[in-house]
């Protein structure tokens, strides 16, 4: 009952060096993905983003027509790069957001994702899993099945398929 779109930001997927220039268009890329699915008939949108994509997701979760969001392994700001989430959007949020982190994520410490959770207004949930998985890699760990089930439950509660 869901229409699903996956997309890639316009910077190289396997880059070893992240720059501010790469972050510049992440919100525009996500807004474009939202517009794309709406053009194909989606009335309600659920956003799921990991790491930098989670930052964009948290920033746009309150956009018109977004019913819920899932944010995996995402900080408030990218260290060494002038890129942060939209704190005004977080403070004005009204949609359910599930925040997820691995206890020992080597890229974005769970405490950084927890800080993003704490800055978010409105209905939100916090979930951690054991291990070192970062972002979507969490699905490839021993916690993957439990995480997948948790996301499915969250979607069924927050944005049931029409």
């Amino acid at each position: 009952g869901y229409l699903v779109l996956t997309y890639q930001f316009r910077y190289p997927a396997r880059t070893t060096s992240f720059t501010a220039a790469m972050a510049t268009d992440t919100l525009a890329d996500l807004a474009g993905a939202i517009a794309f699915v709406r053009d194909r008939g989606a009335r309600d949108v659920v956003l799921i983003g990991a790491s930098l994509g989670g930052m964009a997701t948290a920033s746009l979760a309150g956009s018109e027509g977004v019913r819920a969001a899932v944010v995996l392994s995402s900080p408030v700001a990218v260290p060494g790069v002038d890129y942060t989430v939209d704190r005004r959007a977080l403070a004005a949020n009204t949609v359910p957001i599930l925040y997820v982190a691995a206890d020992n994520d080597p890229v974005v410490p769970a405490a950084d994702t927890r800080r993003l959770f704490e800055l978010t207004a409105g209905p939100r949930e916090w979930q951690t899993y054991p291990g070192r998985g970062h972002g979507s890699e969490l699905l490839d760990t021993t916690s993957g099945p439990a995480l997948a089930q948790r996301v499915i439950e969250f979607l069924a509660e927050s944005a049931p398929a029409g």
Side-chain angles (χ1 to χ4, degrees):
Y2 292 98
L3 166 67
V4 176
L5 170 70
T6 62
Y7 72 99
Q8 180 66 42
F9 291 121
R10 57 185 95 182
Y11 65 82
R14 303 255 184 249
T15 185
T16 57
S17 162
F18 185 78
T19 67
M22 292 176 182
T24 301
D25 293 316
T26 56
L27 290 176
D29 291 347
L30 179 53
I34 293 169
F36 181 84
V37 296
R38 284 194 181 132
D39 286 347
R40 273 132 191 91
R43 293 183 316 272
D44 297 318
V45 176
V46 174
L47 304 176
I48 301 176
S51 200
L52 183 65
M55 293 174 71
T57 292
S59 294
L60 293 182
S63 299
E64 185 177 332
V66 174
R67 294 268 311 271
V70 178
V71 174
L72 306 162
S73 308
S74 300
V76 174
V78 177
V81 177
D82 186 23
Y83 183 72
T84 64
V85 296
D86 182 339
R87 289 181 184 230
R88 287 182 302 218
L90 295 178
N93 179 63
T94 60
V95 302
I97 302 178
L98 172 62
Y99 286 93
V100 179
D103 291 336
N104 295 304
D105 183 333
V107 179
V108 176
D112 290 359
T113 304
R114 178 70 189 200
R115 179 73 179 130
L116 186 57
F117 165 82
E118 291 168 351
L119 290 170
T120 303
R124 64 200 191 286
E125 298 178 32
W126 173 250
Q127 182 74 53
T128 58
Y129 291 95
R132 298 176 48 82
H134 173 69
S136 59
E137 293 170 358
L138 275 164
L139 291 164
D140 295 329
T141 68
T142 57
S143 299
L147 171 57
Q149 184 60 40
R150 180 66 192 104
V151 169
I152 290 167
E153 290 168 359
F154 178 78
L155 293 177
E157 295 165 5
S158 304

